[in-house]
């Protein structure tokens, strides 16, 4: 069932650590859907946050650079263009999973609440671009990878 509290949601996130997500196929969003289900959260795809309208759950692929440091592989989608992305970023449970080829094991999680630092970073690193298959006219809000360098997310992975 759905977690009754934030603490229970985060405990569920702990149980995901090391879990291999399986192959993805062509659907880039399947890992996020699987992760939400494993956390006990039903994704509705609405403008509100995933868990009880309070916490957004986002899967972020990370890869290691040549020096062995984790970095975000690609800019994650936050919301469709017509949705205010600040709603989604108010409280976020970021789930770091190993990107690239393979079965994408869950590496870590990072819980973040909107504060003055996140507001500055969001203003600087939010952008919109096409979202969907090649040739789509749909647009979405994305966070540039640099957001994670300054938000604390990568520090939580790399120490």
């Amino acid at each position: 069932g759905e977690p009754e509290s934030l603490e229970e949601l985060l405990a569920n996130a702990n149980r995901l650590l090391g879990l291999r997500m399986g192959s993805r196929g062509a659907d880039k969003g399947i890992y996020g859907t699987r992760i939400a289900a494993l956390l006990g959260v039903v994704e509705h795809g609405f403008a509100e946050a995933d868990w009880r309208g309070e916490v957004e759950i986002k899967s972020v692929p990370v890869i290691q650079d040549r020096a062995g440091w984790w970095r975000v592989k690609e800019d994650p989608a936050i919301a469709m263009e017509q949705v205010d992305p600040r709603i989604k970023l108010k409280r976020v449970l970021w789930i770091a999973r190993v990107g690239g080829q393979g079965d994408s094991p869950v590496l870590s999680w990072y819980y973040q609440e909107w504060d003055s630092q996140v507001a500055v970073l969001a203003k600087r690193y939010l952008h919109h671009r096409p979202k969907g298959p090649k040739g789509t006219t749909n647009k979405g809000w994305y966070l540039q990878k640099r957001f994670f360098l300054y938000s604390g997310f990568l520090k939580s992975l790399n120490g």
Side-chain angles (χ1 to χ4, degrees):
E2 185 178 65
E4 293 294 323
S5 65
L6 177 60
E7 292 74 20
E8 188 178 339
L9 178 65
L10 298 179
N12 288 354
N14 269 336
R15 287 192 280 281
L16 294 181
L17 299 179
L19 183 68
R20 296 182 178 280
M21 300 305 302
S23 61
R24 183 189 86 192
D27 183 0
K28 287 181 79 172
I30 194 66
Y31 287 140
T33 301
R34 287 178 188 163
I35 286 169
L38 290 165
L39 290 170
V41 175
V42 177
E43 289 188 306
H44 300 287
F46 300 136
E48 66 182 19
D50 297 321
W51 178 71
R52 297 185 170 195
E54 296 177 26
V55 177
E56 182 68 9
I57 298 164
K58 289 291 181 192
S59 167
V60 180
V62 296
I63 56 175
Q64 286 185 302
D65 63 19
R66 290 185 183 125
W69 296 99
W70 291 105
R71 64 178 179 83
V72 175
K73 181 180 177 189
E74 58 193 34
D75 297 356
I78 302 303
M80 294 306 291
E81 183 178 38
Q82 62 273 20
V83 174
D84 182 348
R86 295 172 297 183
I87 293 169
K88 300 285 193 169
L89 293 173
K90 185 175 178 184
R91 297 168 85 190
V92 185
L93 175 57
W94 301 104
I95 305 292
R97 59 179 179 73
V98 179
Q101 300 296 320
D103 52 8
S104 201
V106 174
L107 182 64
S108 181
W109 60 266
Y110 183 74
Y111 177 73
Q112 184 172 49
E113 292 191 6
W114 188 273
D115 61 15
S116 59
Q117 178 188 8
V118 173
V120 167
L121 293 173
K123 184 176 181 180
R124 185 176 300 151
Y125 297 116
L126 266 172
H127 62 103
H128 67 276
R129 68 172 198 235
K131 182 172 182 357
K134 186 175 181 177
T136 187
T137 58
N138 293 327
K139 289 193 174 185
W141 287 101
Y142 289 78
L143 269 178
Q144 292 176 356
K145 296 182 284 189
R146 215 166 253 268
F147 172 90
F148 298 95
L149 180 63
Y150 303 113
S151 70
F153 177 85
L154 287 177
K155 185 174 184 176
S156 74
L157 288 173
N158 293 312

